[in-house]
């Protein structure tokens, strides 16, 4: 029994980490962490709508996240409100609506904590089908738009001049973020979803020499964080979702701290050798 639930938890976490890592790289490059947070906060509203109208909660999450993503994309075109103000309103507004909506579901029990912080140890075989099916679709779609999305990220105007359909690429990327949030919610919870996308990518950025290498390294780092966080959770009886994020944070600190020490040591060696040459 123990082996079964741990194996499912590990498989689910690894699937999410690998599928979301390339998207996380683009979120780091495009400085879209707050956008991701806004989409993630709408996931709880999706649960409420799904349960309320009698459909699968995962379907409700996908529909709501996609709808909010497209709405955010549309509203960002206006000039009256700054983007960060708009994102803040949408993020906390959607979360508040979800929390209020749950109070009206009197005949349905909703485990609020598992949606907020994840419940990876309760991953079922059905969840694995959802994670790997959705994650495979995310990876495939990311691969298909990789080059045009990279071109838009590096220089949007130049990409437009070269014939890249910038608006379509932006919409596709936004929809993929929404789907990734829906896939990861069971594993890490809506409060911490974006951290699993951002931290491994930020860690890989210092080590990688190309965008493709960064995506691969981010997947490996995310997978290591999932494995380390799960083992730590079981060993010390800590919450699984936050433990995974803490493991990712530890890898980030280790990588950046080690690189800073190596750089300082190299400068010291050069400085000490300078007068003798």
């Amino acid at each position: 029994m123990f082996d079964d639930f741990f194996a499912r938890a590990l498989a689910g976490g690894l699937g999410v980490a690998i599928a979301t890592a390339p998207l996380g790289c683009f979120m780091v490059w495009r400085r879209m962490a707050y956008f991701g947070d806004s989409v993630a906060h709408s996931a709880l509203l999706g649960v409420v709508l799904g349960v309320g109208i009698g459909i699968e909660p995962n379907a409700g999450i996908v529909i709501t996240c996609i709808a909010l993503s497209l709405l955010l994309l549309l509203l960002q075109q206006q000039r009256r409100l700054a983007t960060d103000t708009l994102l803040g309103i949408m993020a906390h507004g959607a979360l508040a609506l979800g929390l209020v909506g749950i109070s009206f579901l009197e005949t349905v029990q909703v485990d609020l904590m598992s949606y907020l912080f994840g419940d990876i140890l309760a991953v079922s075989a059905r969840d694995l089908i959802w994670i790997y099916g959705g994650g495979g679709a995310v990876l495939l779609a990311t691969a298909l738009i990789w080059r045009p999305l990279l071109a838009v990220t590096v220089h949007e105007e130049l990409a437009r001049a070269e014939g890249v359909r910038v608006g379509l690429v932006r919409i596709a990327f936004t929809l993929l973020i929404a789907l990734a949030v829906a896939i990861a919610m069971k594993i890490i919870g809506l409060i911490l979803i974006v951290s699993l996308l951002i931290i491994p990518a930020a860690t890989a950025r210092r080590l990688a020499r190309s965008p493709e290498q960064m995506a691969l390294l981010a997947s490996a780092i995310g997978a290591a964080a999932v494995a380390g966080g799960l083992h730590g959770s079981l060993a010390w009886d800590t919450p699984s979702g936050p433990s995974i994020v803490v493991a990712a944070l530890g890898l980030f600190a280790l990588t950046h701290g080690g690189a800073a020490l190596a750089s300082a040591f190299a400068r010291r060696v050069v400085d000490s050798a300078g007068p003798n040459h």
Side-chain angles (χ1 to χ4, degrees), residues 43-200:
L44 187 62
L45 180 58
V47 173
V48 173
L49 292 176
V51 173
I53 63 178
I55 64 174
E56 180 70 27
N58 284 335
I61 293 169
V62 171
I63 293 169
T64 306
C65 287
I66 288 176
L68 185 79
S69 297
L70 294 176
L71 180 60
L72 283 169
L73 208 58
L74 180 64
L75 291 176
Q76 282 180 323
Q77 307 304 314
Q78 56 81 42
R79 302 295 181 185
R80 286 173 292 179
L81 286 176
T83 298
D84 60 341
T85 301
L86 182 64
L87 291 175
I89 292 171
M90 297 296 288
H92 300 295
L95 180 58
L97 284 171
L99 291 170
V100 170
I102 283 178
S103 66
F104 288 100
L105 300 177
E106 297 178 355
T107 59
V108 181
Q109 284 287 95
V110 176
D111 186 357
L112 181 60
M113 293 302 289
S114 70
Y115 283 113
L116 291 177
F117 298 105
D119 192 10
I120 190 173
L121 297 179
V123 167
S124 65
R126 186 177 180 181
D127 291 326
L128 289 179
I129 295 173
W130 162 244
I131 289 169
Y132 278 87
V138 167
L139 273 178
L140 178 61
T142 303
L144 290 174
I145 67 167
W146 180 270
R147 290 194 177 279
L149 182 56
L150 190 60
V152 171
T153 300
V154 172
H155 198 298
E156 185 171 312
E157 293 305 318
L158 182 59
R160 195 187 304 274
E162 291 177 349
V164 175
R165 300 176 68 178
V166 173
L168 191 60
V169 169
R170 189 182 292 126
I171 290 172
F173 178 57
T174 302
L175 295 181
L176 286 177
I177 292 176
L179 184 55
V181 165
I183 293 167
M185 188 168 176
K186 179 74 173 181
I187 301 298
I188 204 73
L190 67 90
I191 299 295
L192 300 172
I193 283 175
V194 176
S195 61
L196 190 60
L197 276 77
I198 296 296
I199 298 177

Side-chain angles (χ1 to χ4, degrees), residues 195-212:
S195 61
L196 190 60
L197 276 77
I198 296 296
I199 298 177
T203 305
R205 189 173 193 174
R206 181 175 283 272
L207 304 174
R209 296 185 178 181
S210 69
E212 292 76 15

